[in-house]
Every structure is written in C-alpha cells, then in structure tokens.
Amino acid sequence: MRIDAHQHFWRLERGFYDWLTPELAAIYRDFEPSHLAALLAEAGIDGTVAVQAAADPRETAFLLSLAAKHPFIKGVVGWVDMETEDGIAALRQFARNPLFKGIRPMIQDIEPADWMLKPQLDRAFRALIELRLSFDALVKPPHLDALLTLARRYPDLPIVIDHGAKPAIRDGLGGFDAWAAKMARLAELPNVACKLSGLLTEAKPGATLADLQPYLDHLYECFGASRLMWGSDWPVLLLESTYSDWNAMTGAWLASKPARERDEMLGGTAARFYRLEKA
C-alpha cells in the first residue's frame, strides 16, 4: 500500500487558517478530497494521512468528517489544546474514532523554542501514550535540542519529525552541519521517525534534486528506510512545485534504493507508524 503520509485540506470560509493569506496566491483557495483524488490515482498512491493546518479542534472534526466520506484518507492527525483540561477531554473524545491517529501542535510558530518541555504538557503527552496515539513534531532547526529532550523524556511516545525539521536548504549548505548533527542524535532514539516532505518549500525557487539530495541522503543514512515516510505536503507543495513533479523527483532519488526499502519509505513506514491497517 503506497501512502502519502502528509497532506492537508481546507475551506477558506471556515476561517481557521490565520496563516493563509491572499499573498499565498497559489494556495489561497479551497482544497478538497475531490481535488486530490485524481493526483493520487496518477501517482499510484492508495491512501493518505490528512494533517491539521489550524490550531482549532473544529478543524480536526472537519478532517475526520472528510475521512469518513473518502476511504483514501486512511488517518487524521489533528490538534487539541495540550495545556488545558478541555484539550485533554477533546483528545480522549477524538481517540474514540479509529481514523484519529495523533496530534500536531504548531510548534514552529510557538515561543519559546522549548515550549514543548513545559511541565503543563506532561498530562497531554502521557495521554497520547495511554491512548496509543502519535505526535507530529512541526519544528525547525532551533527546536531540535528541545525535541531531543522530549523524545528521551517519553521513550514510549511515537514521534515523527515533519518535513525533515525544515532545514534552510535555500541558503545552500551553510547550516547543513548543525542540522545534520542534531538530526543524527534524534535518529539514535527508536521512538523517532521522520517525513520526507516539505523540503521543496524550504529550498530556493526552481530547486532540483541536486539541491535536496544532501538532505535526503543524510536522513536516509540516519533513520533508515524503516523510519522514513514519504509525503507530499500538498497543497502547500504548490507554492513551489506540482504533485507529479515532487513524485518524480523523489522517485528518481529512490530509484537506487533496494525495492524493499523503497516500499518502506513509500508506505510501509507510514502504515506502521500511524497504524493504518486498523482504520
């Protein structure tokens, strides 16, 4: 089963998306399952994981309603307020739905960089472990030290790093070594996985596989195929590329890998991590 482990849907009229402004012209419109279905068929992809794009539990409920109607949506990663009693209650409510797989706070937009280590969040992290849910870490390089502490603090919590932690690929290799060292340390922990997604939007316009390859190669070397999962980050991807072009670019990189490892990165890892076979 081939899986796109990271994509989004939204309807502008719902008003959840403060970050989505008219300046982002390529994606400032509604994106529905009907818009994605043909792209999946063309790419030979069997299912997806729909990921939150707004810090609002009503958006999570919206994504779950879409998943109930469209079988290709195999799982939903949502949002709850991890600091409140109401948020914990919402987490438990969502967990009753087998299509709900975990949560993603929008850490990249939260100050300070070590927010995730706040004692007030302990109850939420322990609830995730109890409910057998996962944690998507939407982070950038400045957050990686705190994420390492978090992953060590909760060794039973499945964590996946979204978009390779958004390295500054557009700046060339200037920040590569520091990012690479921190990702290697995180990869030493068996509860941490990583998504091969979102990298083109961190690169300069017109970037090619040659620009991304040092980053892809490093993640492959550190995490191995069994803890890497392919994703599109559609429709955010449309800011820089198309679904078919991203699929072709990553396909060219994967072509030299053993068939079994390609299968892992293109679906097997995501299916295990998000427990998609139970959906």
Side-chain angles (χ1 to χ4, degrees):
M1 183 166 65
R2 183 162 179 197
I3 298 295
D4 180 343
H6 198 104
Q7 54 84 196
H8 309 283
F9 299 113
W10 53 70
R11 292 178 187 164
L12 296 183
E13 67 181 17
R14 291 181 170 265
F16 299 143
Y17 311 100
D18 294 341
W19 61 272
L20 188 53
T21 62
E23 289 72 25
L24 300 172
I27 61 173
Y28 190 69
R29 61 181 178 86
D30 294 350
F31 287 92
E32 303 272 5
S34 60
H35 301 135
L36 182 58
L39 300 175
L40 299 178
E42 180 184 0
I45 295 172
D46 302 294
T48 73
V49 176
V51 180
Q52 65 83 230
D56 194 314
R58 293 174 297 171
E59 195 226 12
T60 301
F62 166 64
L63 293 177
L64 287 168
S65 73
L66 293 179
K69 297 173 186 175
H70 300 277
F72 74 78
I73 306 173
K74 304 296 184 183
V76 168
V77 175
W79 183 92
V80 300
D81 187 342
M82 297 177 68
E83 299 190 53
T84 68
E85 294 285 341
D86 287 347
I88 302 299
L91 181 66
R92 294 188 178 279
Q93 181 67 31
F94 285 137
R96 297 178 183 177
N97 187 329
L99 290 168
F100 181 75
K101 301 301 181 180
I103 61 171
R104 184 178 81 148
M106 302 179 86
I107 295 172
Q108 67 175 14
D109 301 321
I110 301 174
E111 295 290 346
D114 64 351
W115 169 86
M116 69 189 86
L117 301 179
K118 289 178 65 171
Q120 296 94 317
L121 301 179
D122 179 69
R123 185 178 175 195
F125 285 119
R126 296 197 180 280
L128 288 172
I129 295 168
E130 173 198 340
L131 297 167
R132 302 189 68 184
L133 298 171
S134 58
F135 184 75
D136 267 57
L138 177 60
V139 296
K140 294 182 176 181
H143 302 99
L144 293 178
D145 289 335
L147 185 61
L148 180 64
T149 299
L150 183 81
R152 288 171 172 166
R153 181 181 294 176
Y154 302 103
D156 296 325
L157 176 66
I159 297 171
V160 60
I161 303 171
D162 289 353
H163 314 320
K166 293 194 167 185
I169 303 172
R170 67 178 60 86
D171 297 333
L173 294 175
F176 178 86
D177 290 344
W179 166 85
K182 292 181 179 183
M183 293 299 284
R185 286 196 290 272
L186 279 156
E188 293 173 358
L189 304 179
N191 60 320
V192 181
C194 186
K195 290 185 181 179
L196 300 175
S197 60
L199 297 176
L200 269 180
T201 48
E202 303 306 316
K204 61 187 177 182
T208 66
L209 178 57
D211 297 299
L212 271 57
Q213 184 144 2
Y215 299 87
L216 292 168
D217 288 349
H218 182 68
L219 294 175
Y220 176 70
E221 179 181 349
C222 292
F223 287 92
S226 64
R227 287 190 289 143
L228 287 177
M229 58 187 84
W230 182 90
S232 68
D233 198 27
W234 180 93
V236 179
L237 170 69
L238 300 180
L239 292 171
E240 296 296 339
S241 187
T242 66
Y243 202 100
S244 60
D245 284 351
W246 173 243
N247 186 47
M249 181 183 291
T250 47
W253 177 74
L254 287 162
S256 63
K257 309 296 185 288
R260 183 174 179 180
E261 294 193 352
R262 291 199 303 270
D263 289 344
E264 286 283 273
M265 290 183 275
L266 291 174
T269 300
R272 281 194 311 277
F273 183 88
Y274 287 119
R275 308 160 312 282
L276 301 184
E277 69 280 358
K278 297 181 180 179

